[in-house]
């Protein structure tokens, strides 16, 4: 694994790397939905389109070979970022949603039989619920839920008390996007492995702030989206253990994923090409590579420390506001906090905060079962990136109080 040096956080220097903050006084607290992009990522995207662009893999000319090398270098960066064993285990996809659908409709589709069980947690994003429901319906399988407690935690025990001899898959988030809880996925994956249960970890909220080591975690699949890790949209990663993916059926058919095609039969390419049909998001993958490099240059330990300290500071600031209730108090938290304020609807609060140039997410956060558990229809969610600091939470608190005053007059 990469050893990171401890670095002092220089807010001015970091923020200056993000052109979105150049104009005005934007308070951006919505990185859990999507993060802003540093200059190095924007530059690399522009650079490929300007100087190195061509379709990849099939070209015999230099431009195509350079573009191919850049694309495959990005795969190597992803492999190192999550410490996968081989680049064959790194599949470029559109995002986490596609990655989960891919696993559900290939590996799970062939492994799951009638009566088998799939365990999800209460805190899943809809992306890690619906693909499993589709597969469960198709095979008459059963979905079981590992419940979260009042603090918003999903424990090892709450997962394993659902396990039976019929459990085939555990698919669980690493960090809840709605509450922020960090789930003990390493402990869960190790135990699942010893019982022959497949594991998929949804790393959407974890890859941007935690050092991920898929070999140490012993998960079978790990997924994340590039746009939440300071990279472009339309690109994401499926890590899958080679011995599983090499035996699984293809996901989509088309160019690049084949070995030989006749009208009677097709044989498939090896990994990762088998799962990358058609012209891929070439520039997206290269941009993602730059984003992960940017994070590695800062050091994942430094990103995590900043995120943890800042979210805790932010929560302390929010807790001083009378009438504000934090939803979920997990002991181990990522860069996310959800709350409600008085009886003001989250959309009203978010809309009025926008008038002070404060961007927060409002609604159910694509996690309706989580909202149901905490008996709220929706929340306001503030989430941090490496470019945020305490002043952003101070501005948020000030904004909330101003909105409160507006509603007092109504
Ligand atoms: C925990 C989690 N899983 C899955 C997703 C879906 O990611 P995407 O829309 O990039 O595919 C998100 C996005 O918010 C998320 O936070």
């Amino acid at each position: 694994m990469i050893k990171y040096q401890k670095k002092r956080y220089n807010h001015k220097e970091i923020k200056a790397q993000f052109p979105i903050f150049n104009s005005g006084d934007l308070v951006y607290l919505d990185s859990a939905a999507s993060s802003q992009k540093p200059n190095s990522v924007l530059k690399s995207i522009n650079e490929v389109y300007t100087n190195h662009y061509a379709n990849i893999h099939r070209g015999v000319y230099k431009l195509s070979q350079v573009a191919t090398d850049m694309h495959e270098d990005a795969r190597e960066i992803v492999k190192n970022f999550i410490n996968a064993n081989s680049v064959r285990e790194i599949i470029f996809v559109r995002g986490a949603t596609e990655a989960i659908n891919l696993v559900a409709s290939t590996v799970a589709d062939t492994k799951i039989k009638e009566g088998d069980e799939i365990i999800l947690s209460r805190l899943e994003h809809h992306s890690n619920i619906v693909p499993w429901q589709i597969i469960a319906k198709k095979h008459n399988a059963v979905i079981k839920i590992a419940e979260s407690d009042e603090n918003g935690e999903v424990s090892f025990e709450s997962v394993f008390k659902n396990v039976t001899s019929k459990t085939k898959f555990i698919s669980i988030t690493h960090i809840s996007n709605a509450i922020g809880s960090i789930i003990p996925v390493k402990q869960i994956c190790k135990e699942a492995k010893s019982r022959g249960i497949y594991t998929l970890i949804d790393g959407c909220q974890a890859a941007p702030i935690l050092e991920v080591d898929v070999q140490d975690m012993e998960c079978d699949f790990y997924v994340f989206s590039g746009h939440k890790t300071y990279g472009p949209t339309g690109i994401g990663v499926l890590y899958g253990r080679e011995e599983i993916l090499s035996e699984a059926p293809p996901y989509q058919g088309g160019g690049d994923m084949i070995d030989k095609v006749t009208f009677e039969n097709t044989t498939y390419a090896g990994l990762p090409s088998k799962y990358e049909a058609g012209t891929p998001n070439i520039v997206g993958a290269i941009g993602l590579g730059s984003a992960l490099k940017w994070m590695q240059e800062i050091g994942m330990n430094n990103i995590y420390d900043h995120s943890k300290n800042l979210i805790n500071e932010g929560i302390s600031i929010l807790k001083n506001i009378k009438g504000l209730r934090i939803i979920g108090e997990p002991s181990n938290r990522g860069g996310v906090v959800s709350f409600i304020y008085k009886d003001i609807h989250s959309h009203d609060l978010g809309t009025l905060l926008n008038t002070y140039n404060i961007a927060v997410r409002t609604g159910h956060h694509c996690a309706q079962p989580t909202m149901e558990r905490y008996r709220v229809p929706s929340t306001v969610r503030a989430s941090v990136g490496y470019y945020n600091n305490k002043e952003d939470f101070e501005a948020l608190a000030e904004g909330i109080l101003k909105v409160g005053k507006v509603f007092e007059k109504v």
Side-chain angles (χ1 to χ4, degrees), residues 323-339:
L324 186 144
R325 178 157 76 91
I326 308 274
I327 305 298
E329 297 267 5
S331 54
N332 218 353
R333 186 192 280 276
V336 170
V337 58
S338 251
F339 59 89

Side-chain angles (χ1 to χ4, degrees), residues 110-121:
T110 50
K111 303 283 180 199
I112 288 177
K113 307 277 176 278
E114 185 165 347
D116 281 348
E117 294 166 355
I118 301 160
I119 299 178
L120 312 175
S121 89

Side-chain angles (χ1 to χ4, degrees), residues 31-34 94-100 123-128 173-178 202-206 223-228 233-236 361 365-366 381:
S31 295
S34 208
R94 269 196 303 127
T97 302
E98 186 174 43
I100 299 169
L123 303 182
E124 299 313 315
H125 187 281
H126 298 162
S127 298
N128 197 26
T173 192
H174 197 163
I175 299 184
S176 151
N177 69 307
D202 176 355
C204 263
Q205 299 300 334
V223 308
F224 66 96
S225 292
H227 67 96
K228 295 180 202 280
T233 51
I235 188 79
R361 185 122 309 223
H365 317 295
C366 295
R381 181 186 72 185

Side-chain angles (χ1 to χ4, degrees), residues 240-257:
R241 280 222 339 264
E242 187 170 356
E243 58 267 41
I244 305 174
L245 286 183
S246 57
E247 281 183 7
Y251 177 51
Q252 294 178 329
D256 245 23
M257 54 77 74

